[in-house]
Amino acid sequence: MSIEKKKYECSALPKGWQREEVIRKSGLSAGKVDVYYYSPNGKKFRSKPQLARYLGDALDLATFDFRSGKINSLLLRKNKKQRGTQFDYSRGVRNDASLVPPIRQTASIFKQPVTVYKTQEGKVKTDFKHGQQEKPKQLFWEKRD
DNA sequence: GCCACCGGTGGC
DNA sequence: GCCACCGGTGGC
C-alpha cells in the first residue's frame, strides 16, 4: 500500500541521521503527521527531549525544530525551561570551538568519531525497561571518500 | 516481548 | 484550542 512514509537524511543533523514522516491512517487523528528521527546506528527518536538526552553536549538542539527538521532561530526566544547546567559560552572562554555548542550544522566538522559518555548529571528518570544503562556510543561517523 | 501507531493531556 | 510529548496497546 502506499502509506506515505519517507525517511531521508536530515541536513540539520550530523551525517547519518535520518528524519521520517509518518502519516496516521486511521483513528481520530488520521492525517496527522508524526515525525521520527533515526540515529546513524538505527535508534528511533520520537521527541526532541529524547534526542537531546541522547546527544548530550555533543550537539546543541536549541535552534533545532523537531517537527520541520530545520534550524529555527526563533526557538531561542521561546525556549522552554533550560536545565541549570547550561554553560555560558559567550564569555571569553577559550575552547576548542569545533567541539562545543553551538555547532555548525552544515558541515561535517567531526574529523574523527565522537564518543559521548553519559555523565552523572541530572538523575535519569526511572526507566529501567531496558535493564541497563546506555553504553558509550558512537554518534556520528566520519565521511569517507 | 517488541514496536508502530494512535490517544490523551499538560503546558502553553 | 493547539500540539509536543509520551503512554499504552493491538498486532505481530
Side-chain angles (χ1 to χ4, degrees), chain A residues 16-95:
Chain A
W17 284 80
Q18 293 183 295
R19 176 175 177 278
E20 177 189 39
E21 289 188 359
V22 178
I23 304 191
R24 298 190 179 188
K25 48 188 185 283
S26 67
L28 298 173
S29 55
K32 183 183 181 222
V33 177
D34 288 312
V35 177
Y36 303 107
Y37 290 86
Y38 295 85
S39 69
N41 35 240
K43 183 172 162 72
K44 184 176 185 177
F45 294 86
R46 310 161 71 203
S47 70
K48 185 166 173 176
Q50 190 188 4
L51 254 188
R53 282 197 303 273
Y54 184 81
L55 290 169
D57 292 336
L59 190 60
D60 179 25
L61 295 177
T63 59
F64 180 69
D65 182 54
F66 187 88
R67 248 198 156 274
S68 70
K70 296 180 177 155
I71 299 300
N72 179 359
S73 326
L74 299 180
L75 292 179
L76 278 181
R77 284 277 158 201
K78 287 218 61 167
N79 223 349
K80 305 207 263 182
K81 59 166 167 225
Q82 194 82 234
R83 286 290 302 181
T85 48
Q86 262 299 86
F87 194 79
D88 182 14
Y89 299 111
S90 63
R91 306 300 309 181
V93 195
R94 265 178 70 64
N95 264 321

